[in-house]
């Protein structure tokens, strides 16, 4: 075995610093979205940068959409790592941590590709949905949230009170934006259209709540890791020469 393999480098990721950067980035993304709506309301849609779509909170293939997808994926990866650590330490609910991580990874894919929006027209036409159900994907979305919530209630109750409260608050903010404000936005679009101040305000609240919820959940995971283990080791191996468990580097730290 070479000296390089014997003396593997350590990669330390300060999760608390990451959480601070996520907080700052989220504020910047929300602020740019608000600025876009203010500029559009003052000078109209004909701007040199094509409606400032690239910083719009309501647009696909935009910076906010990319940021949300990356943040959701980062949360998913953290959940999967926590699940692996819980199983290795023979703790409770390792499988539930993993299932939650998989759900977030799938949510990240949907955030990037907007698969859920493909349900809108078929459901709307099939059931003649209007008003608050104008964005008809919220119907299967609400059913999925209810089922997932019921599955994770026992898991939530077994967590420490601090972690459970942080999870509940962040989850409520995200679902309140993604589903609750989506009902409001759909009703406004059906009644008066998108090019109104009311719709712009609804979008700002909706997307703002989603990003705030994700940011709070990221912090909740960092806080849980810090309170539970202080640090979590991550070893990248090729499989040809696995390191002994006692030599595994501590690669992801929270403080």
């Amino acid at each position: 075995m070479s000296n390089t393999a014997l003396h593997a480098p350590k990669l330390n990721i300060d999760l608390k610093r990451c959480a601070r950067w996520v907080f700052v980035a989220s504020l910047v993304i929300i602020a740019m979205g608000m600025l876009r709506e203010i500029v559009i309301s003052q000078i109209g849609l004909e701007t040199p940068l094509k409606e400032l779509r690239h910083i719009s909170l309501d647009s696909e293939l935009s910076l906010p959409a990319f940021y949300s997808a990356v943040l959701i994926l980062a949360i998913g990866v953290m959940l999967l790592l926590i699940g692996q650590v819980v199983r290795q330490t023979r703790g409770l609910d390792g499988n539930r941590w993993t299932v939650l991580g998989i759900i977030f990874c799938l949510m990240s894919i949907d955030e990037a590709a907007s698969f859920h929006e493909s349900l809108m027209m078929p459901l709307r036409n099939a059931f003649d949905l209007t008003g608050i159900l104008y964005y008809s994907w919220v119907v299967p979305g609400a059913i999925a949230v209810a089922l997932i919530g019921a599955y994770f209630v026992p898991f939530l109750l077994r967590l420490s009170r601090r972690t459970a409260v942080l999870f509940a608050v962040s989850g409520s903010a995200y679902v309140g934006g993604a589903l609750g404000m989506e009902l409001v936005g759909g009703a406004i679009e059906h009644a008066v259209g998108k090019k109104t101040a009311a719709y712009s305000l609804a979008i700002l609240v909706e997307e703002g709540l989603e990003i705030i919820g994700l940011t709070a959940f990221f912090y909740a995971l960092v806080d849980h890791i810090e309170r539970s283990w202080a640090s979590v080791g991550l070893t990248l191996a090729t499989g040809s020469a696995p390191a002994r468990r006692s030599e595994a580097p501590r690669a992801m730290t929270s403080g």
Side-chain angles (χ1 to χ4, degrees):
M1 187 181 296
S2 66
N3 289 334
T4 302
L6 286 171
H7 301 90
K10 291 170 59 179
L11 176 62
N12 294 315
I13 301 174
D14 188 335
L15 289 179
K16 294 184 74 173
R17 180 174 295 179
C18 289
R20 289 192 291 269
W21 278 111
V22 167
F23 176 77
V24 172
S26 296
L27 288 182
V28 171
I29 291 293
I30 294 173
M32 288 194 301
M34 294 176 64
L35 177 63
R36 186 261 181 187
E37 298 303 325
I38 293 172
V39 170
I40 292 300
S41 68
Q42 295 298 315
I43 67 175
L45 298 175
E46 298 300 325
T47 71
L49 296 178
K50 298 181 181 179
E51 304 178 4
L52 300 177
R53 179 191 59 78
H54 304 89
I55 59 173
S56 172
L57 293 172
D58 191 35
S59 296
E60 307 301 331
L61 301 177
S62 65
L63 181 59
F66 172 78
Y67 175 74
S68 294
V70 170
L71 182 53
I72 295 172
L73 180 61
I75 290 172
V77 171
M78 288 179 66
L79 288 166
L80 292 174
L81 291 175
I82 291 174
Q84 182 66 20
V85 171
V86 170
R87 283 195 298 274
Q88 287 183 353
T89 57
R90 298 183 180 180
L92 293 174
D93 294 315
N95 289 337
R96 276 185 163 84
W97 283 107
T98 299
V99 170
L100 191 57
I102 293 172
I103 290 173
F104 268 84
C105 289
L106 294 176
M107 286 170 55
S108 174
I109 295 173
D110 181 71
E111 183 70 22
S114 296
F115 289 118
H116 67 276
E117 293 193 357
S118 63
L119 299 174
M120 283 203 299
M121 291 305 297
L123 289 174
R124 185 187 298 165
N125 295 334
F127 299 100
D128 193 25
L129 298 177
T130 60
I132 62 172
L133 297 180
Y134 188 67
Y135 293 161
S136 53
W137 74 266
V138 298
V139 177
I143 295 173
V145 168
L147 293 175
I148 293 171
Y151 174 75
F152 281 103
V153 165
F155 163 72
L156 194 66
L157 294 177
R158 285 191 289 268
L159 293 173
S160 68
R161 178 171 297 182
R162 177 185 174 91
T163 300
V165 169
L166 287 173
F167 277 21
V169 171
S170 58
S172 297
Y174 182 81
V175 173
L179 286 179
M181 288 305 301
E182 190 82 345
L183 296 172
V184 176
I188 293 174
E189 181 182 348
H190 181 255
V192 296
K194 285 188 173 183
K195 297 180 180 180
T196 61
Y199 183 81
S200 295
L201 179 60
I203 288 301
L204 287 176
V205 175
E206 174 189 337
E207 301 296 335
L209 281 174
E210 288 186 28
I211 294 175
I212 289 170
L214 292 172
T215 304
F217 195 67
F218 187 92
Y219 168 79
L221 292 177
V222 172
D223 183 75
H224 176 76
I225 291 172
E226 181 181 28
R227 291 166 59 86
S228 299
W229 304 295
S231 67
V232 175
L234 175 64
T235 301
L236 304 178
T238 61
S240 57
R244 292 197 303 271
R245 193 170 290 181
S246 62
E247 295 177 347
R250 305 182 90 189
M252 185 169 66
T253 64
S254 61

